[in-house]
Amino acid sequence: MNELIRKRARYLLADTLNEPVLMFDTKNRLADFNKEAAEKFGISENDINVMSREYFENSVLQLTYEEEPSPNINREVVLQKEYASICYQFTVQPIQSKRKGFIGMAYAFKDISKQKMMYNALEKMSVYDHITGFYTSRVFASKIAEWDKE
C-alpha cells in the first residue's frame, strides 16, 4: 500500500512537471526523482538511497553554503553541460505528512535560461544604442558626471 501511495505522490509531484524534481528522505538520501532529473543531472536508479543531499548540492550543483541551508530556498544555479550553460531557479521545500510530520525535502528546478537571456538583452539595450553601439544619452550623461567628480 505504501508503494502505491509513493507512486501516486510521485506522479502528482514530479512526473506531471516538465522540469527536474528530486526528493530526499529524512536521512538526506535520494529517495526519488523524475525522468527530467535523470536526463539533466545524469542520475540513475542506482543512486537511490546512496546519493546524499550534500553530495548532490556540492558535486552536481557545485553549491557552497556558509551555513546549513534552510528550507524554502529559492535561488539560481547555472549548470554547464555540453558547451551550454543552463540557468535554473531551484526551490527546496520540506515534504510534510499529517501523521509523521517532516518526511523529506523536495528539490524543484525551473529552466530560466530564456528569461535570463532576454533580461541581459534588455539591459544591453538600455545601456547601448542599438544602431551606433555607443552609450545611450542617459548613460553617457551619467559617465560624464562621474568623470567630472574625479
Side-chain angles (χ1 to χ4, degrees):
M1 185 67 176
N2 286 339
E3 186 66 21
L4 180 67
I5 292 171
R6 186 182 74 81
K7 286 182 180 179
R8 176 105 171 116
R10 178 182 179 189
Y11 173 75
L12 291 173
L13 286 172
D15 290 340
T16 55
L17 299 173
N18 292 325
E19 301 289 347
V21 176
L22 294 98
M23 290 168 262
F24 294 91
D25 63 12
T26 56
K27 295 178 183 173
N28 288 330
R29 292 181 305 203
L30 182 63
D32 208 353
F33 58 91
N34 64 355
K35 65 179 179 163
E36 284 78 12
E39 292 170 4
K40 301 279 192 219
F41 304 124
I43 299 171
S44 68
E45 292 291 327
N46 297 334
D47 294 325
I48 290 182
N49 292 324
V50 175
M51 182 186 286
S52 69
R53 185 173 62 112
E54 291 80 15
Y55 176 82
F56 178 75
E57 289 175 352
N58 295 335
S59 298
V60 179
L61 299 182
Q62 299 176 349
L63 296 177
T64 54
Y65 295 108
E66 295 173 6
E67 57 191 47
E68 180 64 24
S70 62
N72 305 322
I73 295 173
N74 193 353
R75 67 169 53 172
E76 289 182 16
V77 62
V78 178
L79 299 178
Q80 194 75 24
K81 188 162 188 168
E82 298 174 6
Y83 307 108
S85 294
I86 302 171
C87 190
Y88 288 106
Q89 179 178 13
F90 83 98
T91 309
V92 178
Q93 291 288 327
I95 303 171
Q96 302 283 339
S97 168
K98 287 186 178 180
R99 290 186 300 171
K100 295 182 180 179
F102 175 76
I103 57 173
M105 301 288 274
Y107 280 45
F109 293 81
K110 181 180 178 189
D111 186 354
I112 58 170
S113 299
K114 289 180 184 176
Q115 290 95 327
K116 290 285 280 188
M117 188 173 58
M118 291 184 339
Y119 175 80
N120 291 339
L122 185 63
E123 187 177 41
K124 185 178 177 183
M125 286 172 43
S126 70
V127 174
Y128 298 102
D129 181 63
H130 70 282
I131 295 173
T132 63
F134 294 122
Y135 286 128
T136 59
S137 58
R138 180 184 54 82
V139 175
F140 188 68
S142 68
K143 291 283 185 187
I144 289 177
E146 285 178 25
W147 295 332
D148 283 344
K149 288 180 184 177
E150 294 175 2

